[in-house]
Amino acid sequence: YEIYLNGLSGAVPRLPADPSRLEALVEQRLGAGPAGYMIGAAGTGSTARANRAALDRWRIVPRMLRDVAERDLSGELFGRRLPAPLALAPVGILKIAHPDAEPAAARAAAARGVPYVLSSASSTPMERVAEAMGDAERWFQLYWPKDREVARSFLARARAAGYSALFVTLDTPLLSWRPRDLDQAYLPFLHGVGTANYFSDPAFRAGLAKPVEEDREAAVRHFLGMFSDAGKTWPDLAFLREHWDGPIVLKGVLHPDDARAAADAGMDGVVVSNHGGRQVAGAVAAADALPGVAAAAGDRLTVLFDSGIRTGDDVFKALALGARAVLLGRPYVYGLALDGQAGVDHVIRSVLAELDLTLALSGHADPASPGPADLVREAL
Ligand code: FNR
């Protein structure tokens, strides 16, 4: 009721509550390059649309008279108590959204106790983001570099800077076909904001003929050549297991057999994700892949979910379909673009408030309660 009570003295929120209006504002206010990069998707955008359509097709069947007066969104994940089943997804190069970039998003997450997943392609070195977060929960996302020394260096830096879990993104061995970026000839790594995480890395710098400052283009080419590795296979995961002693989560798993392979390789979790529809054009909607992966994972893996989450009821549906928690992608980036740290806070609070209301109004007092029987699927 806080917003309505403030409204009595004429104050209305600075940002809209409806995520599609946030997106429209970003489209208007940011340049064509950055807006296209953030909002855009692979191919015709059909995967991104399918993510939304799949979530929309599931409908919640509310239950009545179940005492929801006291509710608790908290739960345990990777041995830690979290205030809600929500974390901020790794999103690279946030300087194109707002000059305060990753530290602002990380501070907003830390203030609410929501874990922040830092992208290895961040525009701020990981140590500076860690400083901004104090001892709040943070996880590190790795695009698995071709160069072993750089991989080892990233893992050592992340460990030393207090990142407790490692998210390895598997769906980006190459950047996909993204028409909006192609039409603008826009790739943010090349447009002055760079990827400070790499450029500040001693092992990365050791591979350059000239310092980054003297030959930026060569540094960018070096980055593009090594930032990800299309040659990796399942046995390579042993390298990560050897160099990281905390939880390892594979991001971008959509097939039940890949979930089984992850468990067999000693991984701790998977993120069911199609990268927000940004990688495989025509890919299965993430929500449609979730039940199969959750069944294959059983109790061997912690299953997380992203791609298409915009509202509290989306989070409810993902939980009911078998996710333990979700990652929020574009919406917080839009919040950051429009109002810095306060904008990210607005988005986190809105999603969590709506999740709390959706649970209560559907007859559930906590996020572990919804299951497949609480949803029905609309016929097409
Ligand atoms: C991403 N995503 C991403 N994922 C990752 O593992 N490392 C990264 O650096 C990035 N960078 C990135 C940039 C931008 C602009 C977007 C929109 C997304 C994918 C991200 O973590 C997540 O999977 C999706 O954003 C989830 O989908 P929604 O919530 O955006 O629909």
Side-chain angles (χ1 to χ4, degrees):
Y1 298 112
E2 180 188 328
I3 292 175
Y4 296 121
L5 288 171
N6 289 340
L8 292 176
S9 50
V12 294
R14 286 155 65 93
L15 293 180
D18 175 349
S20 60
R21 289 187 57 211
L22 284 179
E23 183 168 300
L25 286 173
V26 167
E27 193 77 83
Q28 273 169 26
R29 291 198 199 158
L30 266 75
Y37 181 72
M38 282 180 240
I39 297 169
T44 61
S46 72
T47 312
R49 284 192 299 278
N51 286 338
R52 290 296 317 145
L55 284 164
D56 276 343
R57 271 186 73 197
W58 285 108
R59 313 304 305 173
I60 298 166
V61 187
R63 303 297 305 275
M64 302 296 137
L65 293 175
R66 303 221 303 187
D67 186 2
V68 291
E70 300 285 328
R71 297 174 309 277
D72 181 2
L73 291 187
S74 74
E76 199 152 301
L77 203 65
F78 306 123
R80 318 267 168 137
R81 193 91 205 149
L82 299 183
L86 181 84
L88 299 192
V91 170
I93 332 166
L94 287 179
K95 267 200 182 135
I96 65 166
H98 193 278
D100 296 346
E102 292 86 3
R107 272 196 298 271
R112 301 271 163 213
V114 167
Y116 178 66
V117 192
L118 179 74
S119 166
S120 53
S122 60
S123 45
T124 314
M126 61 177 106
E127 293 80 5
R128 279 202 26 226
V129 178
E131 253 172 59
M133 293 190 78
D135 54 14
E137 191 68 16
R138 51 184 170 271
W139 303 333
F140 180 70
Q141 176 266 325
L142 183 75
Y143 280 132
W144 202 339
K146 257 185 208 136
D147 184 324
R148 272 189 166 226
E149 289 313 311
V150 173
R152 214 173 280 159
S153 173
F154 269 9
L155 298 184
R157 287 172 62 195
R159 202 72 183 130
Y163 294 84
S164 64
L166 178 67
F167 281 57
V168 186
T169 300
L170 301 182
D171 58 22
T172 314
L174 303 160
L175 270 190
S176 71
W177 186 255
R178 298 181 185 172
R180 287 190 66 169
D181 298 343
L182 292 165
D183 290 351
Q184 298 288 328
Y186 182 81
L187 193 56
F189 313 105
L190 318 185
H191 282 254
V193 288
T195 60
N197 227 11
Y198 291 83
F199 289 3
S200 65
D201 188 85
F204 178 87
R205 295 173 71 98
L208 298 173
K210 282 188 193 163
V212 178
E213 297 72 21
E214 279 176 34
D215 191 349
R216 204 186 149 76
E217 198 183 317
V220 166
R221 283 181 193 283
H222 187 55
F223 162 78
L224 287 176
M226 64 99 77
F227 100 99
S228 201
D229 185 356
K232 291 278 191 290
T233 59
W234 290 94
D236 290 313
L237 289 172
F239 171 87
L240 296 179
R241 199 60 288 179
E242 210 176 294
H243 290 88
W244 184 265
D245 57 8
I248 305 182
V249 180
L250 302 184
K251 179 170 179 280
V253 168
L254 294 164
H255 197 293
D257 288 348
D258 284 349
R260 286 184 201 100
D264 292 344
M267 301 292 107
D268 300 278
V270 291
V271 185
V272 176
S273 166
N274 59 26
H275 213 108
R278 296 165 71 79
Q279 283 298 99
V280 178
V284 60
D288 286 340
L290 175 56
V293 171
D299 54 12
R300 297 172 78 201
L301 295 167
T302 298
V303 176
L304 308 181
F305 175 84
D306 78 25
S307 298
I309 296 281
R310 297 291 175 271
T311 60
D313 58 281
D314 294 335
V315 182
F316 180 107
K317 292 172 186 177
L319 299 174
L321 292 171
R324 282 280 296 282
V326 305
L327 309 181
L328 190 62
R330 289 183 187 81
Y332 89 81
V333 180
Y334 299 157
L336 178 71
L338 296 170
D339 202 14
Q341 182 179 338
V344 180
D345 188 58
H346 165 85
V347 170
I348 293 173
R349 285 190 73 194
S350 302
V351 171
L352 292 183
E354 196 182 8
L355 171 62
D356 178 53
L357 289 170
T358 306
L359 283 167
L361 295 171
S362 309
H364 301 274
D366 73 81
S369 166
D374 297 303
L375 301 178
V376 290
R377 192 141 197 237
E378 267 181 353
L380 275 179

